[in-house]
Amino acid sequence: MLIRSGDTVEVITGADRGVKSRVILVDRAAGKAIVEGVARVYKHVRRSQKHPQGGRLSKEMPVQLSNVAFYCATCDKGVRLGARFTKDGSKERFCRKCGTGVGQIAPAKAAHATGSDVKKKAPAKAAAAKK
Ligand SMILES: [Zn+2]
């Protein structure tokens, strides 16, 4: 799961389909996220000390993460994300569609630095060529 709070996502299904908004909170255990202005409901509250006027409170309900997609500014639409190592060995998220990196998710690590992913891929290609 590569969507994080603060990301801009596009809602891809449901009543709020097409809405682009910011993720406020991600609940990994439930697989849900609260997205600003999406799945907004009104809660009716009685008068109390906290709400002396009573009335309606507006809040967002969590939405299933499968119903939102990371919004890629380059592609101008909701996309799927991948994770990859960069040359310096740090891990980053990227847009599966256009390949643009969208931010580091792990610090640089020597073990993953330059060429480590190239080495991993090369034997696989060689094996395929033999067949
Ligand atoms: Zn993209």
Side-chain angles (χ1 to χ4, degrees), residues 72-76 79 95-100:
C72 173
T74 317
C75 301
D76 191 29
V79 296
C95 167
R96 286 261 189 218
K97 203 129 208 150
C98 64
T100 309

Side-chain angles (χ1 to χ4, degrees), residues 56-74:
R56 303 198 305 170
L57 286 181
S58 177
K59 66 168 193 170
E60 288 95 354
M61 294 301 284
V63 293
Q64 201 71 38
L65 273 163
S66 63
N67 294 347
V68 299
F70 185 87
Y71 174 74
C72 173
T74 317

Side-chain angles (χ1 to χ4, degrees), residues 45-123:
V45 287
R46 290 180 72 89
R47 241 171 282 155
S48 65
Q49 287 202 324
K50 202 177 171 193
H51 303 283
Q53 290 295 317
R56 303 198 305 170
L57 286 181
S58 177
K59 66 168 193 170
E60 288 95 354
M61 294 301 284
V63 293
Q64 201 71 38
L65 273 163
S66 63
N67 294 347
V68 299
F70 185 87
Y71 174 74
C72 173
T74 317
C75 301
D76 191 29
K77 58 173 155 184
V79 296
R80 296 171 79 170
L81 289 176
R84 66 185 174 195
F85 291 109
T86 54
K87 277 179 185 168
D88 68 350
S90 61
K91 202 173 184 183
E92 69 168 9
R93 301 185 300 166
F94 69 100
C95 167
R96 286 261 189 218
K97 203 129 208 150
C98 64
T100 309
V102 289
Q104 188 176 307
I105 51 176
K109 221 178 208 178
H112 300 300
T114 316
S116 63
D117 58 336
V118 178
K119 265 183 229 160
K120 267 182 218 161
K121 275 176 191 167

